[in-house]
Amino acid sequence: MTVSAPAAELTVGRQGHYAGAVSRLVAFGADVGASWGLYTLGIALFNTSFKLVTGHSYNLTNHQLLALIILGFWEFIYFSYQWAVSGRTLGMAIFGLQVVTTEGAHIGVRQAILRTLSLALSLMFFWFAFWGIIFQRERRALDDLLAGTVVVYSWDARAARLRWMARTENAMHRRVPHPIGREHDPERGRHAAS
Amino acid sequence: MSPNPVGARMEQLAQALAERIVPMVIEAIDIDALIDRVDIDKVVSRVDVDKVISKVDVEKVIERVDVEKIIDRVDINAIVEKINIDALVEQTELGSIIARSTTGILTEILDVIRAQGVGLDDFIFRWGNRLTGRRRRVADWPEGPPLLVEPKVTAGS
């Protein structure tokens, strides 16, 4: 079965455009999951190491304030480091998003840190902080407005299109001889079905 | 031959003399020395190459060339053996295109998910504009930052 390539106007034609609410929300969800997973893994590794070295077990759940401070620090590092390095977090990379300046240039360390702190503020005032993604001219949330950033679609859509084309080409070359002598064209079959 | 018998004999004599003398003269000439004295550069510089080329019917020349015969004489395998594939892949985008074109199903799924996300983003954005009743005004809004997207050219501007 050959699956048709996504429409070019939704992929190649949208690179650099302001990203919308759904992509950003899903990417943020992926980041929360990834950062939480890494935090849990880190805590488990720390507990195991502590037990191996000292012989005593140390459970961070018994020290909730400390756990909260460590989590907050970890989230700060997770977002600010990744934004400073490449303008995108793990979740944003998966969903093809990037944080850039309002002009479209790469953001610096200062903006990355400011955006991370602003994100915390946005989460605190979430009931109005994120409406800008839908209603604002440049689709900027509160954290974007405070940090002077925007979020754009940014993935290698051209390579993705080539990949689809290469796959379609392969499918064309793998034409199966039809029982009554005519060639079965998978491409034609796909278009007929769609 | 001439109708005058004297003239005819004179003509025969001249013919016989020429047959004897011309080879002797040719033998006596040192062709190499003669060529050495000719300034080839000067001769060539006087040739109007453009004029010569304009007189050549290239189409006719091409028609007379048997391309298939030429191709048959070319040793394709020898040429292919001389190509440094590694250098070719390193120096061009070919390597990355091949690598990207042959990656697994996971990246293809990602392509679809990203495109679906863009579609849903548009859907939400359209509904947001309907709710606020600004569908026409949004048409003039920028699609992206100026460094990444060309500004829109609207009818009014």
Side-chain angles (χ1 to χ4, degrees):
Chain A
M1 189 184 75
T2 312
V3 182
S4 58
E9 60 265 27
L10 294 180
T11 55
V12 182
R14 299 301 287 270
Q15 297 311 300
H17 288 204
Y18 296 123
V22 178
S23 298
R24 290 178 65 170
L25 182 69
V26 177
F28 182 68
D31 276 322
V32 169
S35 62
W36 182 258
L38 287 168
Y39 170 76
T40 312
L41 188 72
I43 293 297
L45 280 171
F46 172 77
N47 285 345
T48 310
S49 311
F50 190 82
K51 199 172 183 179
L52 278 171
V53 174
T54 62
H56 303 287
S57 63
Y58 184 84
N59 200 343
L60 209 61
T61 48
N62 298 332
H63 306 81
Q64 288 196 345
L65 184 65
L66 181 64
L68 197 67
I69 291 168
I70 291 172
L71 178 63
F73 181 71
W74 162 243
E75 293 293 346
F76 174 78
I77 295 293
Y78 178 88
F79 283 100
S80 59
Y81 175 75
Q82 291 187 93
W83 279 334
V85 169
S86 62
R88 61 181 76 191
T89 54
L90 186 65
M92 293 177 93
I94 292 169
F95 291 96
L97 306 175
Q98 189 178 10
V99 180
V100 292
T101 64
T102 48
E103 292 295 303
H106 285 283
I107 61 165
V109 178
R110 198 183 68 83
Q111 270 180 308
I113 290 170
L114 194 61
R115 194 169 196 273
T116 311
L117 296 173
S118 307
L119 179 65
L121 197 69
S122 292
L123 288 170
M124 277 186 241
F125 299 100
F126 67 91
W127 59 89
F128 78 89
F130 296 106
W131 287 114
I133 299 174
I134 300 171
F135 297 113
Q136 204 264 340
R137 187 182 162 89
E138 292 162 331
R139 307 197 193 185
R140 295 163 80 187
L142 179 65
D143 47 304
D144 287 317
L145 291 166
L146 291 173
T149 58
V150 291
V151 179
V152 294
Y153 298 115
S154 173
W155 76 90
D156 202 346
R158 196 173 68 90
R161 191 131 197 95
L162 283 171
R163 188 159 50 235
W164 279 105
M165 283 164 68
R167 216 162 71 90
T168 314
E169 190 91 341
N170 286 340
M172 293 279 278
H173 290 159
R174 276 189 265 114
R175 284 177 180 176
V176 186
H178 198 270
I180 58 168
R182 282 181 301 170
E183 262 193 333
H184 171 65
D185 185 351
E187 268 294 288
R188 198 177 293 168
R190 174 172 69 77
H191 289 309
S194 62
Chain B
M1 195 178 277
S2 172
N4 186 349
V6 179
R9 290 197 60 186
M10 285 296 288
E11 207 170 296
Q12 281 178 345
L13 185 65
Q15 180 73 29
L17 275 170
E19 282 173 5
R20 292 287 300 276
I21 291 168
V22 170
M24 284 169 69
V25 171
I26 290 170
E27 274 177 28
I29 294 170
D30 185 353
I31 300 288
D32 290 334
L34 194 67
I35 289 169
D36 285 343
R37 291 182 70 181
V38 175
D39 188 348
I40 299 290
D41 289 337
K42 204 169 182 178
V43 174
V44 170
S45 68
R46 290 177 71 179
V47 176
D48 188 350
V49 180
D50 287 338
K51 208 168 183 176
V52 174
I53 289 170
S54 67
K55 282 185 177 174
V56 176
D57 187 349
V58 180
E59 292 285 333
K60 218 165 186 174
V61 172
I62 291 169
E63 271 175 22
R64 290 179 70 179
V65 175
D66 189 348
V67 179
E68 285 188 13
K69 210 167 183 178
I70 294 170
I71 291 169
D72 285 345
R73 291 177 70 178
V74 175
D75 188 353
I76 302 284
N77 288 330
I79 295 170
V80 171
E81 274 174 22
K82 282 183 181 173
I83 297 172
N84 187 347
I85 300 290
D86 289 346
L88 188 70
V89 170
E90 275 173 20
Q91 286 167 20
T92 62
E93 277 187 61
L94 203 63
S96 59
I97 289 170
I98 292 166
R100 288 164 183 171
S101 300
T102 52
T103 45
I105 193 81
L106 185 70
T107 51
E108 288 186 10
I109 292 168
L110 268 184
D111 294 337
V112 177
I113 290 171
R114 286 165 176 171
Q116 298 283 337
V118 174
L120 285 169
D121 289 342
D122 286 351
F123 176 77
I124 297 288
F125 191 61
R126 272 199 306 273
W127 270 100
N129 292 331
R130 275 185 192 178
L131 286 174
T132 51
R134 56 175 188 194
R135 288 165 72 181
R136 290 216 177 97
R137 271 186 292 147
V138 182
D140 297 338
W141 283 11
E143 290 175 326
L147 287 176
L148 302 176
V149 178
E150 291 270 321
K152 276 183 184 175
V153 181
T154 52
S157 58

